[in-house]
């Protein structure tokens, strides 16, 4: 069951709780925030603000609620009662005891705005995404086959109960992706929004073209922008920005669109089996999404910002991921084949010529399972991505 799967973010929480009175665990719905909070703080009282009675109490008498728990508590789904933030601030200013309050919330409901205004400098943030391949591998729950793993996706409930991933995602989309977004944006026409979601799923790994998305969906550019920004803040999609250094080349300015969970992405495209995925025209893009997402998880789990980019010039040379580590520019190329072909590093070789990077700063991640070196470039199997980051 889920509580037996150790989360990498737990170490970060134990590190931060000594320095901040409020710990805020945000992230997409069902990514394991509550489980993580309870397992890191087994002795703290826990209350969920999604419970209507408790929510009513918190709204009517926030001070009384916090006074009842002198030693602090876990407040789950705090976005349900935004005015609690001001009272929390008063509490922690009077008794600034580290690690006193743990709040969880799905980011999308202006949660971050509420906290950053009233709890600036008093709160530490952890953005918790679903399981990483690494976390599942450690408890032997990661499929040996990359495409099987991608279809299954990484949300904790899938590993917690007897449920087909496809069915779970069907339900997840209806319960959260549609309901949450509609409650925020007051979307009248659900059919249009569903079409928009599927169009986004088909655009995974592509340079974002909002005009084309809006046109294909029959909505205005502004509507498409607001729908996309909600999907982004609620942890459904991730926009990878282009790297700004041009090395004498004209650069692409738009971000690339990725889905944070490949299971959700596959479900939106109606892909049911690993075979379907292997043969699907979007296979490479979905695999790319997986790699980007794994890198995000690694960073977020340690409490750091992502700081990943892609690089693409006007002649079409593209590097899938570029990031800086200890003043060094690193580059990663992603290939969804299970067989490594020497041609896979062609773009990296051009990149080294432009950027002056060394082969040791370049890697290729592929869907196979053998680690190797080719022309001094590191070749990594799909389930060892975490080793790319120090």
């Amino acid at each position: 069951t889920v509580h037996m799967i150790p989360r990498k973010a737990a170490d970060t929480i134990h590190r931060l709780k000594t320095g901040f009175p409020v710990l805020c665990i945000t992230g997409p719905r069902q990514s394991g925030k509550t489980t993580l909070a309870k397992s890191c703080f087994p002795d703290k009282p826990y209350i969920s603000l999604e419970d209507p009675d408790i929510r009513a109490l918190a709204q009517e008498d926030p001070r009384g609620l916090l006074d009842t728990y002198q030693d602090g508590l876990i407040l789950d789904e705090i976005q349900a009662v935004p005015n609690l933030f001001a009272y929390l601030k008063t509490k922690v200013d009077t008794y600034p005891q580290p690690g006193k309050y743990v709040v969880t919330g799905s980011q999308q409901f202006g949660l971050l705005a509420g906290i950053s205004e009233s709890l600036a400098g008093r709160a530490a943030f952890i953005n918790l995404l679903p399981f990483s391949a690494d976390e599942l591998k450690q408890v032997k729950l990661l499929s040996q086959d990359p495409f099987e793993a991608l279809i299954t996706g990484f949300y904790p409930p899938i590993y917690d109960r007897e449920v087909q991933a496809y069915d779970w995602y069907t339900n997840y989309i209806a319960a959260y992706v549609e309901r949450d977004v509609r409650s925020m944006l007051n979307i009248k026409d659900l059919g249009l929004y569903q079409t928009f979601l599927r169009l986004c799923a088909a655009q995974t790994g592509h340079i974002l073209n909002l005009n084309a998305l809006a046109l294909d969906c029959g909505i205005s550019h502004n509507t498409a922008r607001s729908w996309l920004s909600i999907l982004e803040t609620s942890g459904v999609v991730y926009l990878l920005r282009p790297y700004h250094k041009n090395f004498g080349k004209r650069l692409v300015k738009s971000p690339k669109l990725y889905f944070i969970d490949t299971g959700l992405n596959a479900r939106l495209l109606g892909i049911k089996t690993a075979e379907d995925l292997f043969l699907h025209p979007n296979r490479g893009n979905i695999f790319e999404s997986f790699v980007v997402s794994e890198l995000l998880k690694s960073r977020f789990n340690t409490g750091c910002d992502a700081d990943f980019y892609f690089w693409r010039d006007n002649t079409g040379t593209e590097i899938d991921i570029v990031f800086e580590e200890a003043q060094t520019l690193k580059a990663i190329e992603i290939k969804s084949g299970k067989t490594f072909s020497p041609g896979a590093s062609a773009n990296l070789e051009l990149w080294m010529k432009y950027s002056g990077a060394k082969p040791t700063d370049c890697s290729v991640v592929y869907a196979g399972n053998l680690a190797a070196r080719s022309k001094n470039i590191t070749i990594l199997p799909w389930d060892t991505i975490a080793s790319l980051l120090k």
Side-chain angles (χ1 to χ4, degrees):
T1 58
V2 168
H3 59 262
M4 298 307 293
I5 302 181
R7 304 294 309 249
K8 305 259 183 252
D11 298 342
T12 306
I13 287 178
H14 291 309
R15 185 183 86 230
L16 294 171
K17 73 179 182 192
T18 58
F20 294 88
V22 182
L23 294 174
C24 183
I25 306 172
T26 65
R29 295 274 199 172
Q30 304 282 307
S31 64
K33 303 184 289 290
T34 306
T35 308
L36 178 65
K38 287 175 162 177
S39 71
C40 287
F41 298 93
D43 302 332
K44 270 197 199 304
Y46 163 89
I47 61 175
S48 169
L49 295 163
E50 287 212 316
D51 173 320
D53 297 342
I54 291 177
R55 183 163 65 236
L57 179 71
Q59 279 159 342
E60 287 155 25
D61 189 6
R63 195 174 278 118
L65 177 73
L66 294 177
D67 282 349
T68 308
Y69 298 98
Q70 285 299 339
D71 300 326
L73 78 164
I74 300 171
L75 287 159
D76 208 8
E77 301 291 359
I78 193 164
Q79 77 278 345
V81 189
N83 62 344
L84 258 180
F85 290 122
Y87 291 94
L88 269 180
K89 174 184 187 292
T90 311
K91 273 284 184 210
V92 299
D93 284 352
T94 324
Y95 309 101
Q97 173 195 338
K100 184 166 185 176
Y101 295 104
V102 183
V103 301
T104 80
S106 316
Q107 290 120 305
Q108 58 265 53
F109 297 92
L111 172 74
L112 293 183
I115 296 196
S116 40
E117 280 163 31
S118 45
L119 292 174
R122 303 166 180 86
F125 292 91
I126 299 281
N127 186 1
L128 187 71
L129 295 182
F131 288 139
S132 66
D134 222 29
E135 287 168 333
L136 290 173
K137 202 162 108 179
Q138 288 191 334
V139 290
K140 305 199 168 26
L141 284 176
L142 184 68
S143 170
Q144 300 285 300
D145 177 71
F147 302 112
E148 188 64 51
L150 267 57
I151 283 288
T152 307
F154 298 89
Y155 275 92
I158 292 168
Y159 295 86
D160 187 30
R161 47 185 99 137
E162 293 295 313
V163 60
Q164 291 294 310
Y166 196 85
D167 298 335
W168 187 84
Y169 283 108
T170 304
N171 188 49
Y172 183 78
I173 292 164
Y176 296 116
V177 183
E178 289 171 2
R179 193 196 71 193
D180 276 358
V181 170
R182 283 174 81 189
S183 68
M184 269 172 292
L185 289 176
N186 193 9
I187 294 169
K188 303 283 184 286
D189 188 337
L190 184 57
L192 271 183
Y193 179 68
Q194 289 167 330
T195 305
F196 179 76
L197 258 179
R198 281 197 297 275
L199 288 169
C200 286
Q203 289 298 309
T204 300
H206 290 268
I207 301 265
L208 177 64
N209 183 338
L210 259 183
N211 286 332
L213 263 178
L215 206 63
D216 287 350
C217 194
I219 54 179
S220 73
H221 179 91
N222 284 351
T223 300
R225 181 186 296 277
S226 78
W227 287 2
L228 189 70
S229 95
I230 292 286
L231 286 176
E232 191 184 9
T233 48
S234 51
V236 174
V237 303
Y238 181 76
L239 296 179
L240 186 69
R241 313 280 164 190
Y243 189 66
H244 41 87
K245 288 213 179 94
N246 58 12
F247 307 114
K249 301 270 172 189
R250 296 253 321 275
L251 294 186
V252 167
K253 292 280 193 284
S254 303
K256 282 176 88 171
L257 176 70
Y258 288 107
F259 267 68
I260 282 185
D261 190 81
T262 54
L264 182 57
N265 195 343
R267 171 63 192 86
L268 287 165
L269 294 174
I271 304 172
K272 283 191 160 161
T273 64
E275 295 76 47
D276 289 348
L277 177 56
F278 187 73
L279 299 170
H280 200 277
N282 291 51
R283 173 187 84 185
N285 302 45
I286 293 175
F287 185 74
E288 228 176 271
S289 242
F290 161 73
V291 177
V292 169
S293 178
E294 288 299 301
L295 291 167
L296 292 179
K297 289 168 189 173
S298 276
R299 275 277 202 267
F300 292 161
N301 284 341
T302 54
C304 299
D305 289 334
D307 294 333
F308 295 112
Y309 307 91
F310 72 97
W311 189 86
R312 182 178 185 161
D313 67 12
N314 59 343
T315 63
T317 305
E318 183 174 315
I319 298 298
D320 294 322
I321 294 175
V322 174
F323 64 103
E324 289 172 19
E325 199 167 69
Q327 276 72 60
T328 311
L329 201 51
K330 310 266 189 163
I332 303 169
E333 194 56 7
I334 302 167
K335 297 290 174 200
S336 68
K338 290 186 175 185
T339 318
F340 177 74
S341 67
S345 55
N347 276 1
L348 285 171
E349 288 163 45
L350 279 171
W351 161 256
M352 290 189 274
K353 226 173 26 214
Y354 299 147
S355 68
K358 300 195 239 347
T360 45
D361 298 324
C362 297
S363 321
V364 176
V365 172
Y366 77 124
N369 48 19
L370 293 173
R373 289 193 99 71
S374 166
K375 305 178 187 165
N376 239 351
I377 291 170
T378 307
I379 316 303
L380 281 177
W382 66 281
D383 58 352
T384 58
I385 295 167
S387 66
L388 279 166
L389 304 176
K390 292 286 170 284

